[in-house]
Amino acid sequence: KMVSTRRTTKAPSSSSRPSSPSPPPASPRGRKRTPSASTILRSRTKKNGEEEDIPISTKETKNHQKHGYEFGGPIGAICITILLPLTCYFLVFACNETTGCDLIESIIGLAKEKKKNSFSLLMIPEKMTPVFSLESCVLFLGWIGWCVMLHALLPASIVKEGVDITSGESGGEKARFRLRYKLNGFRVFMTTAVACAVGTYFGQIQLRSLHAKFLSLLTAGCAFAFALTTFLYVASFRVNKNDKSKKKKKTRKNDGIDNGPVVLANGGNTGNVAYDWFIGRELNPRFSNSLFDAKVFCELTPGLIGWLLLNFGFMHEQYARLGFITKPMVLVNAFQLMYVVDALWNEPAILTTMDVTTDGFGFMLVFGDLVWVPFTYSLQCRYILENNVDISLAMTAFIVIVQATGYYVFRQSNGQKNTFRTNPNDPSVRHLKSLKTKRGTNLLISGWWGVARHVNYFGDWLMAWAWCLPCGFDHIAPYFYVAYFGVLLVHRDLRDGEQCELKYGNDWKRYCEIVRFRIIPYVY
């Protein structure tokens, strides 16, 4: 996704009623969006010189046809849809053990020796053919099926309610409810780990074969992402069975089994097929009376665990070739394993992220979750395998320090934010200073969140460096992740800042005057 969703967070705030979260932020300033059920349906009007929220009906929202676009609108959506898969293939074709990794340096002018036709280096790696195979398609579908089966059969670590959702009902009436989510990603991971360990020990599973099947699995993943996105888009036009029987009820209690009406994502119902298909038309796709939520499931379970399996497969292949595992391979596998385990262990935190509360489940998230994360985030381990990288003990110690520092900043800042949101009177946060807003919430202006508005992003970026540094400095290719991730975090910060400015108004401007730095303290 282009990034793990748990990384997304808004400015930490609390209210006198922490159990009642505020509505999702409105669209960025200067852009009009079609109101939808993913936000509380309201219209702004002037009364006695002041703005007032006026509820509006679903019928009114259908007639509101002026839309604002993100990511360059429909043309941008089409371009990104094409570029994302091409980037995944390019990283393999341009950097592999058949041709080396000189192509990328040649393109950006950093090559030691200039070649007349740099793109002659762009070819399919011999050890990764074919690019497409039915076996890999079956394997990829089997992996998704395995994750779905475990999610359904294993008990939940926790069943947790998400944020408030307001949906328009027939006749212009509204129903407000919260969906409940079955969260057991960590148990799916542990079960998968045990199954792989036992299968490998008895010779029934060969994780090392994932390296040879990498390209064909990538092709299978791309095809699945396009098919699933199309299915989700078409399914978003379905009529909910329960609407007729409950049309007279203005509010109702959601017990986690009744999944309520189809809820459209804010900005995903523009009427432009290409854009809505990309952004995602439906907010929380659910197709049965169960706790299975397609978006929340895909956000963490198959993609993150699949990423680790690819890493372990590369490590297994290295052991088969060399008879031992190198320090760089151990470091990257350990760091990324810790990252994924942390995400799965803290799975409930994803329910308040922008990906879950605001964005629809379209190609952007489908491809990001199921293809981009496992097949690009595993680049470092693949590079180390194919280039026999090794580093000194001093460099190893330095990298461990970078990782530990990044993780400490990331975990401590997020922990402080979550504690302040849920219990502002907790002894660990009650001494912190905050800015009271007109909405009744408080914005932290001391502690971690007084240093930078997204100091957790800084910790995350430090960890990105720790994942890339074990690859050495012979080629720039393995540093794709840290460069891409830095750009993504800056974009996320700008996007979040626009939404918070619209949400908090002048209070946000005051907050920015107090907390001047965005991500990197005293730098940016």
Side-chain angles (χ1 to χ4, degrees), residues 131-409:
V131 175
F132 171 82
S133 75
L134 289 177
E135 180 186 6
S136 291
C137 290
V138 172
L139 183 60
F140 191 91
L141 289 175
W143 167 243
I144 299 297
W146 166 266
C147 291
V148 171
M149 181 187 70
L150 290 184
H151 177 81
L153 296 180
L154 293 175
S157 302
I158 184 174
V159 175
K160 189 174 180 63
E161 286 187 341
V163 300
D164 285 347
I165 295 177
T166 302
S167 172
E169 296 275 340
S170 301
E173 297 185 357
K174 298 186 299 179
R176 180 167 176 152
F177 59 93
R178 291 188 179 190
L179 294 174
R180 298 177 67 200
Y181 300 87
K182 178 182 180 180
L183 304 176
N184 61 357
F186 184 77
R187 292 183 176 182
V188 173
F189 164 70
M190 291 302 298
T191 304
T192 302
V194 171
C196 288
V198 172
T200 301
Y201 179 80
F202 288 104
Q204 300 302 308
I205 296 178
Q206 291 292 326
L207 287 178
R208 60 175 295 198
S209 66
L210 293 176
H211 180 255
K213 293 182 172 66
F214 187 82
L215 263 179
S216 55
L217 284 172
L218 172 58
T219 302
C222 290
F224 182 81
F226 277 90
L228 178 59
T229 303
T230 302
F231 168 78
L232 291 170
Y233 177 77
V234 173
S236 69
F237 292 93
R238 69 192 183 279
V239 177
N240 188 273
K241 298 178 180 179
N242 298 323
D243 284 353
K244 294 182 179 180
S245 61
K246 298 180 179 180
K247 61 184 291 186
K248 295 182 180 180
K249 295 184 180 180
K250 195 168 186 177
T251 60
R252 64 174 176 269
K253 180 180 178 181
N254 185 291
D255 60 2
I257 300 302
D258 167 23
N259 287 318
V262 174
V263 180
L264 302 183
N266 186 28
N269 187 28
T270 67
N272 185 285
V273 176
Y275 184 80
D276 294 347
W277 181 88
F278 172 79
I279 289 293
R281 192 168 182 272
E282 188 172 354
L283 184 66
N284 298 96
R286 296 187 175 202
F287 304 103
S288 64
N289 290 332
S290 69
L291 299 178
F292 182 79
D293 186 286
K295 180 166 69 171
V296 171
F297 167 76
C298 290
E299 281 283 302
L300 291 180
T301 305
L304 290 189
I305 301 175
W307 167 23
L308 290 184
L309 289 181
L310 288 173
N311 280 356
F312 294 158
F314 299 148
M315 184 166 59
H316 188 195
E317 176 67 10
Q318 185 184 68
Y319 181 80
R321 293 183 183 185
L322 305 178
F324 62 92
I325 302 172
T326 61
K327 293 189 293 293
M329 184 68 80
V330 171
L331 286 178
V332 177
N333 266 280
F335 294 161
Q336 295 184 348
L337 171 64
M338 181 172 68
Y339 191 87
V340 171
V341 169
D342 179 89
L344 295 173
W345 182 260
N346 295 285
E347 192 176 10
I350 197 177
L351 299 183
T352 59
T353 62
M354 184 184 297
D355 287 0
V356 175
T357 63
T358 306
D359 294 332
F361 195 39
F363 184 81
M364 180 176 69
L365 289 183
V366 171
F367 189 87
D369 293 340
L370 302 180
V371 183
W372 184 267
V373 167
F375 290 97
T376 64
Y377 287 21
S378 58
L379 171 61
Q380 288 76 36
C381 282
R382 181 172 65 83
Y383 177 87
I384 292 169
L385 163 66
E386 296 174 348
N387 291 272
N388 295 322
V389 180
D390 202 2
I391 56 176
S392 65
L393 288 175
M395 187 64 176
T396 301
F398 173 73
I399 293 171
V400 170
I401 292 173
V402 173
Q403 167 70 18
T405 302
Y407 183 77
Y408 179 79
V409 173

